[in-house]
Amino acid sequence: MATDPIAARLATLPGFQRLPSPKLTLFVRRAFLDPADCAHLVDLIDLGRRPSTIADPNGDTAFRTSETCDLPATDRVVAAVDAALAAATGLDPRHGEPIQGQRYAVGQEFKAHTDYFEPDGADFARYCSVAGNRTWTAMIYLNEPEAGGATRFKAVDKTIQPELGKLVCWNNCRADGTLNPATIHHGMKVRAGTKYIITKWYRERAWGW
Ligand SMILES: O=C(O)CCC(=O)C(=O)O
Ligand SMILES: [Fe+2]
């Protein structure tokens, strides 16, 4: 059976808990970021937010209703988080997309989706011809909304609650490299308060710039 070297590494790190599922390689690490860094990132997201977009629009204009922020790689905290993620995971930082922030107000959500690009989707060549598809996702909750906003992985019946500084990371592929539909997840509606997260996606090859 193929093995996943990144998962093998994460399993050895203090505080990293692996989801006990043969279908999905997913880890949670509580308090990966400290409150001051989370607060700084929240401020950056509030300053730079724009409506979120999706690849391969499916006709549902309410599919992803959040806002997104392209975080500046030159920011001291953004650079430190980038380095910390690469150091923890062992993923090649050159394969990483720039870190994004996401902000969900009350009622906003990102319906069930996978983070990889569908090979038969209209946008596949545009998004994947240089760097290849997405491999790992790293996502960090920057705060705890007062209600709602959990991330639900329905194929493995796992719901992760937002918690300040909590890192969730998973492999969008199986150990043999094929895309894993069991990674499907839903950023559920915020019911009270505002939810802030950062997302970092890694690619098969170096990101083009
Ligand atoms: O907001 C969430 O909990 C999930 C976010 C997400 O899935 C994404 O940005 O791709
Ligand atoms: Fe996602």
Side-chain angles (χ1 to χ4, degrees), residues 6-204:
I6 302 299
R9 173 196 176 93
L10 290 174
T12 68
L13 298 182
F16 278 73
Q17 296 173 298
R18 185 176 184 153
L19 178 79
S21 168
K23 290 171 70 178
L24 171 59
T25 303
L26 179 146
F27 291 83
V28 173
R29 165 63 156 104
R30 298 175 78 185
F32 185 78
L33 286 190
D34 64 43
D37 286 350
C38 290
H40 177 81
L41 294 167
V42 165
D43 287 345
L44 290 181
I45 294 168
D46 275 336
L47 283 172
R49 59 199 162 104
R50 57 173 169 83
S52 301
T53 56
I54 53 170
D56 298 327
N58 57 6
D60 179 357
T61 53
F63 194 80
R64 188 186 190 194
T65 49
S66 54
E67 293 174 293
T68 293
C69 173
D70 300 298
L71 291 167
T74 50
D75 178 84
R76 171 186 56 83
V77 173
V78 174
V81 173
D82 225 351
L85 286 172
T89 59
L91 287 159
D92 187 335
R94 290 169 303 184
H95 292 209
E97 297 180 30
I99 297 180
Q100 288 187 356
Q102 320 291 347
R103 179 189 192 273
Y104 300 80
V106 170
Q108 294 183 338
E109 66 179 322
F110 191 176
K111 291 182 186 174
H113 66 279
T114 52
D115 286 352
Y116 54 76
F117 297 92
E118 293 293 345
D120 57 0
D123 289 332
F124 187 74
R126 177 149 69 99
Y127 288 112
C128 299
S129 55
V130 175
N133 216 328
R134 288 177 171 159
T135 57
W136 280 76
T137 297
M139 177 178 119
I140 303 173
Y141 302 99
L142 302 177
N143 76 331
E144 296 163 21
E146 285 148 47
T151 311
R152 175 155 175 75
F153 289 81
K154 65 179 178 184
V156 293
D157 195 22
K158 175 73 180 173
T159 301
I160 299 172
Q161 297 300 332
E163 197 178 301
L164 188 148
K166 182 197 268 182
L167 165 68
V168 185
C169 55
W170 65 89
N171 191 348
N172 292 293
C173 303
R174 302 185 185 90
D176 66 3
T178 56
L179 298 172
N180 186 358
T183 57
I184 189 164
H185 55 282
H186 179 180
M188 295 166 74
K189 274 187 187 168
V190 170
R191 302 289 176 188
T194 309
K195 171 184 168 187
Y196 293 87
I197 62 172
I198 54 171
T199 46
K200 170 94 184 169
W201 293 286
Y202 293 87
R203 297 295 188 116
E204 296 172 281

